[in-house]
Amino acid sequence: DQQVKQNSPSLSVQEGRISILNCDYTNSMFDYFLWYKKYPAEGPTFLISISSIKDKNEDGRFTVFLNKSAKHLSLHIVPSQPGDSAVYFCAATGVYGGSQGNLIFGKGTKLSVKP
Amino acid sequence: DADVTQTPRNRITKTGKRIMLECSQTKGHDRMYWYRQDPGLGLRLIYYSFDVKDINKGEISDGYSVSRQAQAKFSLSLESAIPNQTALYFCATSDDEWNEQFFGPGTRLTVL
């Protein structure tokens, strides 16, 4: 059973608008969440993370929101740029249990930002 | 120069052959990982190593083995390759339990 779910395989957004990528998790032991971005023919690269003691973390155009009660997190990209077009993976880990500290990845969402 | 390198980048092989994928890192990290990515399935953990003497199975270790030759090197072997091992393979490193992992560029393996 999937512990980290990204239910939207793809998302298309106009340049300059907001992109919202969603992720749900089932394991209540997860306490640290990360987003990775992957371009074709490259390995994933770390984008932003959030600890379960926070509900928001911001880094430039990227903001991650965490709703622990709903076991839901989202990545907001504002404004979206064509260079943001990539596959985005949500990942979760439970440092103190839940996955032995290893990352559990979602299946990814392919974001396309149209000029 | 890339911090995490993988060789080869592409490999086509036949069923039953033994294959080794290699990973090297210059980041000085103790923790190293091997993942495979299949279309629509995200990344799944095959094996991981927290130091040279520590090797652990991941979610999908059957059919694979690993060797941690040094802190900087972690190899993945397919003892007898089969077609459903056709996938993209990634090596990653990290230096702490918070797991901000740094990935290599990947190896595309095709088993005919």
Side-chain angles (χ1 to χ4, degrees):
Chain A
D1 189 30
Q2 270 189 279
Q3 298 187 71
V4 178
K5 300 177 184 179
Q6 294 178 258
N7 291 319
S8 298
S10 63
L11 175 67
S12 184
V13 171
Q14 205 67 31
E15 180 179 6
R17 306 296 290 267
I18 185 170
S19 295
I20 300 176
L21 295 93
N22 293 303
C23 178
D24 296 294
Y25 62 96
T26 59
N27 191 332
S28 58
M29 296 298 289
F30 288 150
D31 53 17
Y32 194 64
F33 305 89
L34 306 89
W35 285 93
Y36 281 81
K37 179 169 72 173
K38 184 185 180 302
Y39 293 118
E42 296 182 12
T45 55
F46 170 75
L47 188 58
I48 192 169
S49 63
I50 188 166
S51 164
S52 60
I53 63 173
K54 295 185 174 182
D55 55 18
K56 176 183 174 181
N57 190 26
E58 204 169 344
D59 184 2
R61 297 185 296 113
F62 302 90
T63 302
V64 56
F65 296 92
L66 176 62
N67 182 333
K68 289 189 291 293
S69 61
K71 293 190 177 70
H72 176 83
L73 61 156
S74 60
L75 174 68
H76 292 211
I77 306 173
V78 184
S80 301
Q81 298 174 353
D84 296 328
S85 297
V87 177
Y88 289 79
F89 291 101
C90 172
T93 185
V95 174
Y96 303 108
S99 62
Q100 294 81 47
N102 292 318
L103 290 178
I104 307 298
F105 284 87
K107 293 182 178 182
T109 296
K110 183 176 182 179
L111 174 66
S112 299
V113 180
K114 308 295 185 184
Chain B
D1 287 341
D3 295 319
V4 184
T5 57
Q6 292 183 234
T7 55
R9 293 294 311 277
N10 288 281
R11 182 71 184 268
I12 300 174
T13 190
K14 294 182 178 179
T15 297
K17 294 291 188 181
R18 185 177 187 275
I19 295 296
M20 180 180 285
L21 308 183
E22 299 187 347
C23 176
S24 295
Q25 53 115 346
T26 58
K27 298 189 77 66
H29 291 168
D30 285 327
R31 298 173 179 228
M32 297 188 74
Y33 308 81
W34 275 105
Y35 292 90
R36 69 176 274 176
Q37 184 190 9
D38 297 277
L41 289 181
L43 289 96
R44 293 181 292 167
L45 184 64
I46 306 172
Y47 269 95
Y48 61 102
S49 169
F50 285 171
D51 65 41
V52 175
K53 296 181 181 179
D54 179 72
I55 303 289
N56 302 280
K57 293 182 178 181
E59 178 188 354
I60 53 165
S61 60
D62 287 348
Y64 302 94
S65 62
V66 291
S67 173
R68 185 80 184 267
Q69 301 96 322
Q71 186 204 38
K73 296 184 182 296
F74 193 34
S75 301
L76 176 72
S77 294
L78 288 68
E79 298 302 326
S80 179
I82 56 176
N84 78 359
Q85 291 177 313
T86 293
L88 196 52
Y89 290 84
F90 290 102
C91 173
T93 74
S94 71
D95 65 355
D96 61 34
E97 67 273 17
W98 297 106
N99 257 305
E100 179 188 329
Q101 295 182 13
F102 297 84
F103 284 80
T107 294
R108 183 169 297 280
L109 177 66
T110 302
V111 183
L112 301 176

